[in-house]
Amino acid sequence: METAAIILAAGAGTRMKSKRPKVAHEVLGRPLVQWAVRAAEAAGADRIVTVVGHGREAVIPLVEDDTQVVVQTSQRGTADAVLAAADALADFDGAVVVLSGDSPLIRPETIREMCALREAHDAAVVVLTMDLANPFGYGRIVRDGAGEVERIVEQKDASPEEAAITECNSGFYCFDARALFEALAQVGSDNAQGEFYLTDVLAIARAAGRGVLAYKTDDAEQCLGVNSRGQLAEATRVMQRRINDAHMAAGVTMWDPATTFIGPDVDIASDVELLPAVILMGDTSIGEDSIIGPNTRLTDTRVGAGCTVDETVAVQALIDDGATCGPRAYLRPAAHLCEGAKAGTHVEIKKSTIGKGSKVPHLSYIGDTTMGAGVNIGAGSITCNYDGANKHATIIEDGVFVGSDTMLVAPVRIGEGSLIGAGSTITKDVSPGALALGRARQSEIEGWVAAHPIEKK
């Protein structure tokens, strides 16, 4: 049977105390609503509809490429939100999964199991439930004398006896599409909140003689909804543990998983070693036998095999096999360390290629530069690429040796095998094999100190 998913992402999330819509906040670099979208995709949903409302200008770009977007014009409750998707699914006759855009931890396998249970019993709805030691704030699952699900009662509408129930509604459902939309037309707002509750659909379906089932999970963490900054941090810790456990099971060593944060799209080969305080985000990949960290953050960066990346920040960079980086290095977008190259201590590289085996060991800035193989850059050297209006290129050919404290003023080409004397300012091209010096002449006045005594305080 075909499956559609409706993702509810219209709420304001006032408890977040943020100008951003709640579902746009991120867990490990991925917005909350995108976690729900990916879960639906992984569960096999054929169609996905996202219901947006509050702050939709910020939410729509997050989901429009992967889902059909509909708008809940005024937030009048969960039933009204689902009803906003009715036209989008008017031609659909299958199972409809309802997910919360602020619940990033739901497992795809749980969604599949809910759908399988509903189909096996031809039920109107399966609701995902959980037992909680402290159920305050959650809707309670009320069962009849035979143990069947009778209805869901919200916290504000619960009697003392109902409030004592510990089986709670997770907010995740799998409906028969026809039963869902027929029941939604009968939902009223006679409750403490004056809203249209999706939970009322269960009692309506039961009254119509359709099956209403509960699928109870032992993993209540996956049902966590994010309504505050504290819950956002909690969800991050849960997802951090899941991702780290999966990488360690695949052969990655982590000295301290508690201080290791890995985004959901990161790829790590076996026998990689991650030292404490490592953050890997976005489209980052690490080749086998590399050592990353400590105190390293890589975003959208590719690291080859056998690399050492120590105390480094890299964004949209490429580090080839056997290269080393750090400590305290900064690789900005389009920085490329070729095989065996080195970016050392307090080195910043931007939009530059460091050729095979070339070294920028310490205290240097390299920008808009193409560097050949076997080049050595002395300490404190800078490619002066910006004239105040435009960026200019520096080309350093193979085998060049640049002495310490050298300024290469672009545009400039340094010929193959040449040597630049320390303390030089190079403003013209240097011929291959030449020695280039660009220093001011040193002068000396004998006896000047004795003739100009300095009064000591």
Side-chain angles (χ1 to χ4, degrees):
M1 178 175 288
E2 281 195 322
T3 302
I6 299 174
I7 297 173
L8 306 183
T14 55
R15 280 183 281 169
M16 295 294 288
K17 307 295 184 185
S18 175
K19 60 182 177 293
R20 298 167 62 192
K22 175 173 60 173
V23 298
H25 286 262
E26 297 179 351
V27 164
L28 296 176
R30 177 184 286 175
L32 295 174
V33 68
Q34 287 187 3
W35 283 101
V37 171
R38 297 293 180 88
E41 290 174 339
D46 302 288
R47 297 167 64 174
I48 304 175
V49 179
T50 302
V51 181
V52 301
H54 176 81
R56 56 184 174 272
E57 298 81 5
V59 178
I60 290 174
L62 303 177
V63 297
E64 62 185 347
D65 291 340
D66 301 303
T67 76
Q68 183 178 352
V69 178
V70 300
V71 177
Q72 183 187 18
T73 54
S74 59
Q75 282 71 64
R76 302 186 300 166
T78 49
D80 183 64
V82 173
L83 194 58
D87 288 343
L89 296 175
D91 61 340
F92 185 77
D93 184 14
V96 175
V97 175
V98 176
L99 306 176
S100 298
D102 63 0
S103 297
L105 302 176
I106 186 67
R107 295 182 183 276
E109 54 267 31
T110 299
I111 298 172
R112 289 193 293 268
E113 289 161 2
M114 291 169 60
C115 292
L117 178 63
R118 194 212 64 80
E119 185 173 3
H121 295 272
D122 192 28
V125 57
V126 170
V127 56
L128 181 64
T129 71
M130 55 192 173
D131 280 320
L132 297 177
N134 179 13
F136 183 83
Y138 287 87
R140 308 304 203 278
I141 304 298
V142 179
R143 295 179 180 266
D144 62 18
E148 300 295 324
V149 176
E150 185 177 275
R151 57 194 172 90
I152 299 175
V153 60
E154 299 298 330
Q155 174 74 45
K156 290 185 178 181
D157 301 304
S159 67
E161 293 78 13
E162 291 166 338
I165 297 171
T166 59
E167 186 181 10
C168 299
N169 175 25
S170 69
F172 296 95
Y173 310 87
C174 179
F175 293 97
D176 173 80
R178 292 184 182 275
L180 170 63
F181 292 112
E182 288 174 5
L184 284 174
Q186 304 173 50
V187 173
S189 59
D190 184 17
N191 53 62
Q193 305 241 87
E195 293 184 350
F196 296 88
Y197 291 157
L198 181 60
T199 52
D200 289 351
V201 168
L202 278 69
I204 294 170
R206 180 181 168 93
R210 295 294 304 274
V212 175
L213 304 176
Y215 180 83
K216 186 184 291 188
T217 178
D218 294 328
D219 178 16
E221 280 186 334
Q222 69 178 313
C223 305
L224 175 68
V226 173
N227 294 297
S228 67
R229 305 283 182 154
Q231 289 174 333
L232 182 66
E234 186 179 350
T236 299
R237 284 192 294 271
V238 173
M239 192 58 73
Q240 174 197 21
R241 187 176 67 248
R242 284 188 194 175
I243 291 174
N244 288 359
D245 286 349
H247 283 295
M248 287 188 287
V252 175
T253 294
M254 296 182 195
W255 282 29
D256 183 10
T259 63
T260 303
F261 295 83
I262 303 173
D265 298 317
V266 173
D267 181 67
I268 307 176
S270 63
D271 290 320
V272 166
E273 191 170 357
L274 303 181
L275 278 60
V278 166
I279 301 174
L280 308 176
M281 290 292 133
D283 184 22
T284 291
S285 63
I286 313 293
E288 63 182 10
D289 300 319
S290 288
I291 300 174
I292 311 297
N295 305 317
T296 293
R297 173 166 55 89
L298 309 180
T299 304
D300 298 325
T301 292
R302 303 296 178 93
V303 178
C307 296
T308 299
V309 183
D310 177 12
E311 289 192 82
T312 293
V313 173
V315 180
Q316 297 174 17
L318 182 59
I319 303 172
D320 288 350
D321 294 352
T324 61
C325 194
R328 294 172 292 284
Y330 182 21
L331 303 186
R332 291 167 57 188
H336 181 188
L337 300 186
C338 294
E339 183 180 353
K342 176 178 181 177
T345 307
H346 297 295
V347 168
E348 179 178 348
I349 298 174
K350 167 253 177 190
K351 198 178 180 180
S352 297
T353 296
I354 311 302
K356 182 177 180 179
S358 291
K359 299 177 181 179
V360 188
H362 30 225
L363 301 165
S364 295
Y365 168 74
I366 305 295
D368 297 279
T369 297
T370 301
M371 187 183 299
V375 172
N376 186 87
I377 304 294
S381 296
I382 295 174
T383 58
C384 306
N385 57 323
Y386 185 48
D387 63 8
N390 298 296
K391 300 289 180 70
H392 300 281
T394 297
I395 298 174
I396 304 174
E397 296 180 355
D398 294 349
V400 169
F401 184 95
V402 176
S404 296
D405 195 27
T406 292
M407 305 293 111
L408 302 177
V409 182
V412 68
R413 176 186 288 269
I414 312 301
E416 181 177 354
S418 60
L419 188 152
I420 311 299
S424 293
T425 298
I426 302 299
T427 59
K428 297 179 181 179
D429 290 354
V430 176
S431 301
L435 167 64
L437 299 170
R439 304 167 180 160
R441 177 176 296 181
Q442 180 174 319
S443 61
E444 183 176 309
I445 302 174
E446 292 185 4
W448 189 93
V449 174
H452 298 81
I454 298 173
E455 183 180 351
K456 298 182 178 179
K457 295 182 180 179

